[in-house]
Amino acid sequence: MTVEGRLVLAGAPIGQAGDVSPRLREVLESADVVAAEDTRRLRRLATELGVEIGGRVVSYYDANEAGRAQELVETLKQGRTVVVITDAGMPGVSDPGYRLTHLAVEAGIRVTALPGPSAVTTALAVSGLASDRFCFEGFPPRKGGDRARRLATLSAEERTMVFFEAPHRLADSLAAMAEAFGADRPAAVCRELTKTYEEVRRGGLGELAEWAAGGVKGEITVVVAGHVPGDSEPDLDELVAEVDRRVAEGTQRKTAVAEVAKAAGIPKRELYDLVHRRSATP
């Protein structure tokens, strides 16, 4: 059964108010309810656009999303139009929106979207990296150990990867990526996309980590090239043997692993785990 209400996921500008579509102007004026991640930013956007919001404005953000979603579904069941708009980009993509969409679909309510700017695809397009196949990984885990484990699972990912990151964690995340994917893995850090101080910094992950250590501000999207399987993949037995040789000559195991992994262009953690397993085998 289909309910007459309509849920509209509205893509919002990621920097320039002029990037909005005519349809977004129309729906903000005509919707019964506008659910906004930040009601103040919504009203500021409406003022910049010269749009008068016709319906009721309610807050819809991470902390109240679960409860508010239920409330909005009831509104939709009454045949009303509800618009969800977040601070920037598309609702549901690392922003509130998924829970309400899921509940609306379950209730047989029509769900549609107003396409709009997206930091994910914008960064991918300007990165200069392969865009025919890509995956969006959201924000890396905040804790170092969790982040390292998550990145280790992506070390063999062949698609271009897109991440969001907070500016104060950028340097640590880039350093962790350099360790997991290799310091020379091509990447791009896209900062303040479409805004006045837009910057796209391209280079190897190690180089970008050193640059970010000096401090970076603004909204950040990181694009990382995928793993490219070579015709001649490193011989792991030879790499372990080289580590053993260096250790026998007096180099600390940790240092030997780091040096050999860097030279071979493979993640240090992968080689360390292999060396550890081999040494533990009788």
Side-chain angles (χ1 to χ4, degrees):
M1 181 182 71
T2 301
V3 180
E4 289 302 315
R6 182 174 64 130
L7 174 62
V8 182
L9 306 173
I14 59 176
Q16 298 291 334
D19 290 339
V20 302
S21 67
R23 289 181 62 210
L24 178 57
R25 294 172 181 268
E26 293 171 8
V27 79
L28 288 178
E29 292 178 333
S30 63
D32 298 297
V33 178
V34 179
E37 183 177 14
D38 186 327
T39 57
R40 291 171 300 178
R41 291 187 66 165
L42 169 64
R43 296 191 186 282
R44 194 156 57 240
L45 174 63
T47 299
E48 290 179 19
L49 299 175
V51 168
E52 184 173 344
I53 299 174
R56 181 165 58 100
V57 175
V58 299
S59 62
Y60 182 70
Y61 54 96
D62 290 336
N64 76 350
E65 184 179 7
R68 184 73 83 191
Q70 294 285 353
E71 179 185 315
L72 292 171
V73 165
E74 294 306 313
T75 299
L76 288 160
K77 287 179 178 179
Q78 296 168 13
R80 307 292 179 83
T81 295
V82 174
V83 174
V84 176
I85 185 168
T86 52
D87 291 348
M90 182 60 67
V93 182
S94 275
D95 275 336
Y98 164 74
R99 287 185 179 88
L100 177 55
T101 300
H102 181 72
L103 290 175
V105 169
E106 284 191 331
I109 295 165
R110 180 187 173 197
V111 179
T112 186
L114 296 182
S118 166
V120 175
T121 52
T122 301
L124 180 67
V126 302
S127 69
L129 300 173
S131 57
D132 54 335
R133 296 176 66 236
F134 72 95
C135 58
F136 175 55
E137 290 294 327
F139 284 88
R142 297 185 180 190
K143 295 182 179 179
D146 293 340
R147 182 170 52 216
R149 283 187 287 274
R150 172 76 61 79
L151 294 175
T153 67
L154 296 170
S155 62
E157 174 59 65
E158 297 181 14
R159 295 171 295 180
T160 300
M161 295 169 283
V162 183
F163 300 85
F164 287 162
E165 188 53 287
H168 62 281
R169 290 194 295 270
L170 179 63
D172 288 342
S173 283
L174 288 171
M177 290 177 188
E179 181 173 332
F181 306 147
D184 295 329
R185 179 79 69 90
V189 175
C190 306
R191 188 180 71 84
E192 295 290 89
L193 286 167
T194 79
K195 300 177 186 177
T196 302
Y197 297 104
E198 175 180 284
E199 179 182 18
V200 180
R201 195 91 176 193
R202 303 175 181 87
L205 283 167
E207 173 191 343
L208 291 172
E210 291 180 7
W211 162 75
V216 180
K217 295 181 179 180
E219 300 286 337
I220 305 293
T221 306
V222 180
V223 186
V224 182
H227 170 69
V228 179
D231 293 331
S232 55
E233 290 288 313
D235 186 315
L236 296 179
D237 289 333
E238 290 184 4
L239 297 183
V240 171
E242 176 61 18
V243 170
D244 290 342
R245 185 187 66 77
R246 297 190 184 204
V247 170
E249 291 178 351
T251 303
Q252 289 188 344
R253 176 182 288 183
K254 184 176 180 181
T255 301
V257 168
E259 292 174 348
V260 174
K262 182 176 181 180
I266 67 170
K268 180 171 64 176
R269 182 174 297 275
E270 179 182 336
L271 180 57
Y272 181 85
D273 288 345
L274 181 60
V275 170
H276 180 73
R277 288 196 303 271
R278 295 284 179 87
S279 63
T281 302

Short mmCIF file of all heavy atoms in Angstrom, two decimals, residues 234-242 274 278:
data_model
loop_
_atom_site.label_atom_id
_atom_site.label_comp_id
_atom_site.label_asym_id
_atom_site.label_seq_id
_atom_site.Cartn_x
_atom_site.Cartn_y
_atom_site.Cartn_z
N PRO A 234 55.21 -8.21 -4.88
CA PRO A 234 56.37 -8.54 -4.05
C PRO A 234 56.32 -9.98 -3.56
O PRO A 234 55.25 -10.49 -3.22
CB PRO A 234 56.24 -7.56 -2.86
CG PRO A 234 55.36 -6.48 -3.34
CD PRO A 234 54.45 -7.09 -4.35
N ASP A 235 57.44 -10.65 -3.58
CA ASP A 235 57.53 -12.01 -3.06
C ASP A 235 57.63 -11.90 -1.54
O ASP A 235 58.65 -11.45 -1.00
CB ASP A 235 58.77 -12.70 -3.63
CG ASP A 235 58.84 -14.16 -3.24
OD1 ASP A 235 58.59 -14.46 -2.05
OD2 ASP A 235 59.12 -15.01 -4.11
N LEU A 236 56.57 -12.29 -0.85
CA LEU A 236 56.52 -12.12 0.60
C LEU A 236 57.58 -12.94 1.31
O LEU A 236 58.13 -12.52 2.33
CB LEU A 236 55.12 -12.48 1.12
CG LEU A 236 53.99 -11.57 0.61
CD1 LEU A 236 52.64 -12.04 1.17
CD2 LEU A 236 54.24 -10.12 1.00
N ASP A 237 57.87 -14.13 0.78
CA ASP A 237 58.92 -14.95 1.40
C ASP A 237 60.26 -14.21 1.35
O ASP A 237 61.03 -14.23 2.33
CB ASP A 237 59.04 -16.29 0.68
CG ASP A 237 57.85 -17.20 0.95
OD1 ASP A 237 57.23 -17.04 2.03
OD2 ASP A 237 57.55 -18.06 0.10
N GLU A 238 60.52 -13.56 0.22
CA GLU A 238 61.78 -12.81 0.10
C GLU A 238 61.80 -11.62 1.05
O GLU A 238 62.85 -11.29 1.62
CB GLU A 238 61.95 -12.34 -1.34
CG GLU A 238 62.24 -13.46 -2.34
CD GLU A 238 62.50 -12.91 -3.73
OE1 GLU A 238 62.54 -11.67 -3.88
OE2 GLU A 238 62.67 -13.73 -4.66
N LEU A 239 60.65 -10.97 1.22
CA LEU A 239 60.59 -9.81 2.12
C LEU A 239 60.83 -10.24 3.57
O LEU A 239 61.55 -9.57 4.31
CB LEU A 239 59.24 -9.10 1.99
CG LEU A 239 58.91 -8.50 0.63
CD1 LEU A 239 57.58 -7.77 0.68
CD2 LEU A 239 60.00 -7.54 0.18
N VAL A 240 60.23 -11.37 3.97
CA VAL A 240 60.45 -11.88 5.33
C VAL A 240 61.92 -12.24 5.51
O VAL A 240 62.52 -11.95 6.56
CB VAL A 240 59.55 -13.10 5.60
CG1 VAL A 240 59.93 -13.76 6.93
CG2 VAL A 240 58.08 -12.69 5.62
N ALA A 241 62.49 -12.85 4.50
CA ALA A 241 63.90 -13.22 4.58
C ALA A 241 64.78 -11.98 4.72
O ALA A 241 65.78 -11.99 5.46
CB ALA A 241 64.30 -14.03 3.34
N GLU A 242 64.42 -10.92 4.01
CA GLU A 242 65.20 -9.67 4.10
C GLU A 242 65.09 -9.06 5.49
O GLU A 242 66.06 -8.55 6.04
CB GLU A 242 64.71 -8.68 3.04
CG GLU A 242 65.37 -7.31 3.09
CD GLU A 242 66.87 -7.35 2.85
OE1 GLU A 242 67.38 -8.36 2.31
OE2 GLU A 242 67.56 -6.35 3.21
N LEU A 274 52.95 -10.75 9.05
CA LEU A 274 53.49 -11.94 8.40
C LEU A 274 54.77 -12.40 9.10
O LEU A 274 54.95 -13.60 9.37
CB LEU A 274 53.76 -11.65 6.92
CG LEU A 274 54.30 -12.82 6.10
CD1 LEU A 274 53.32 -13.99 6.11
CD2 LEU A 274 54.59 -12.37 4.67
N ARG A 278 55.33 -15.94 11.05
CA ARG A 278 56.40 -16.87 10.66
C ARG A 278 57.31 -17.18 11.85
O ARG A 278 57.74 -18.32 12.04
CB ARG A 278 57.23 -16.25 9.53
CG ARG A 278 56.45 -16.05 8.24
CD ARG A 278 56.23 -17.35 7.47
NE ARG A 278 55.46 -17.12 6.25
CZ ARG A 278 55.98 -16.78 5.08
NH1 ARG A 278 57.30 -16.63 4.97
NH2 ARG A 278 55.20 -16.60 4.04
#
